[in-house]
Each structure stands twice: as C-alpha cells, then as structure tokens.
C-alpha cells in the first residue's frame, strides 16, 4: 500500500491482527490520542517502516505476538505513558527483528509463552539471522515472573538486563 502514516483517535479500542502488516511505506504511527486502546493485535505493524512508537496512557493490556516483528527501522519504543494500564501482556516475538538498543518495559507484567509446548522459544527480542545484534540494555520494572526461554536469543551485544520485582527471574 501507499500508506505512510497512521494516527489513531481516542475511540480506538483495538488494532486488529495484521491490520497494517507489510505496509512497507508506513513510517509513522501516532498513538498519543488512542487513550482507550486496549489491544494491539498479532502482527499489527509487522514488516513496516516505522522508526518509533510511544504507547499511550490508558487501558492498554495486550501487545500481540509479532506486533512489531521485523520493523527494521524501529529503534525507539516508549512505554513511559502506560502507568494507567492494568498491566501489559507482551506476545512472543513482539519486537523481534527490530534494531532497538535500549528499552524499559514499564508496566509489562506478563509475557505470553507457547503453553503446552515445553521449552518452545518465545523470543521477544530475537535477532533475525540477517541482522546485526544491537540490543544492549533491557529493564523490566513491573515484570514478576520467569522470562521465557529464548527471550533475547541471538543478541550477543546484550550488556544489561534489570528485573526489578522480587520474584522476577531469567529462564532457568
């Protein structure tokens, strides 16, 4: 498509599965007014040209699997406005293939894993084979569980992971 930018209104409650996926010319999304946004569906912005996303204040509770998968320009992700959220569930591969160097996952309280499949990889930030590893720093201020197997797979430059809650643990 020729779609280059998206601005969501206050009344938007959900962005559907693959809603804007593969829109290679899409380079800008504005969620600032989407204060009623509850869910971003699986693959909603996958394979687009966006370079930054700031999640809005409000009831956001889910960012689906692969929501921003292979957004090869996405280097700035901001969760700082999500304090009013009931807690955000982050899907597998949500930011895999994105050149993010540093991120604080404010208010991410759950990470979807592949239930019933044992040690199936759930690489939220998995580096893709055709990419250089750039992820260096990740902070989980609100996460209080065990990080799924493969969360940071292939990120050889990762220097710092901070888990602030007392029961938060890396995969064992």
């Amino acid at each position: 498509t020729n779609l280059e930018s998206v601005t969501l209104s206050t009344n938007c409650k959900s962005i559907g599965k693959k809603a804007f996926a593969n829109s290679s010319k899409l380079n800008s999304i504005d969620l600032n007014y989407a204060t009623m946004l509850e869910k971003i569906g699986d693959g909603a912005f996958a394979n687009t040209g966006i370079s930054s996303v700031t999640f809005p204040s409000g009831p956001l509770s889910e960012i689906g699997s692969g929501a921003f998968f292979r957004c090869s320009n996405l280097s700035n992700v901001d969760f700082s406005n999500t304090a009013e959220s009931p807690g955000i569930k982050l899907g597998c591969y949500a930011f895999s293939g994105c050149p993010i160097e540093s991120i604080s996952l404010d208010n991410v309280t759950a990470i979807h894993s592949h239930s019933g499949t044992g040690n199936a990889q759930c690489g939220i930030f998995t580096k893709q084979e055709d990419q250089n590893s750039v992820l260096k720093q990740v902070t989980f201020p609100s996460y209080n569980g065990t990080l799924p197997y493969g969360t940071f797979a292939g990120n050889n430059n990762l220097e710092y992971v901070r888990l602030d809650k007392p029961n938060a643990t890396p995969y064992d």
Side-chain angles (χ1 to χ4, degrees), residues 69-152:
F69 181 76
R70 280 193 176 259
C71 289
S72 58
N73 296 325
L74 183 58
S75 59
N76 183 22
V77 178
D78 186 353
F79 281 85
S80 65
N81 294 333
T82 63
E84 294 176 26
S85 166
I88 300 168
K89 176 178 140 184
L90 198 57
C92 289
Y93 307 106
F95 296 103
S96 288
C98 300
I100 300 167
E101 285 190 33
S102 177
I103 188 170
S104 180
L105 297 164
D106 301 359
N107 232 5
V108 170
T109 56
I111 297 173
H112 172 74
S113 61
H114 297 293
S115 320
T117 57
N119 290 341
Q121 183 167 302
C122 181
I124 296 167
F125 300 102
T126 303
K127 179 191 81 70
Q128 301 302 303
E129 289 183 24
D130 59 343
Q131 290 183 316
N132 294 321
S133 175
V134 297
L135 185 65
K136 292 182 181 177
Q137 180 175 329
V138 181
T139 305
F140 292 89
S142 304
Y143 187 70
N144 206 20
T146 300
L147 293 176
Y149 174 73
T151 297
F152 307 108

Side-chain angles (χ1 to χ4, degrees), residues 46-62:
N47 296 303
T48 61
I50 61 172
S51 59
S52 70
V53 61
T54 299
F55 296 105
S57 63
L60 182 63
S61 62
E62 183 176 348

Side-chain angles (χ1 to χ4, degrees), residues 140-145 163-169:
F140 292 89
S142 304
Y143 187 70
N144 206 20
L163 300 163
D164 290 348
K165 294 290 186 178
N167 295 325
T169 56

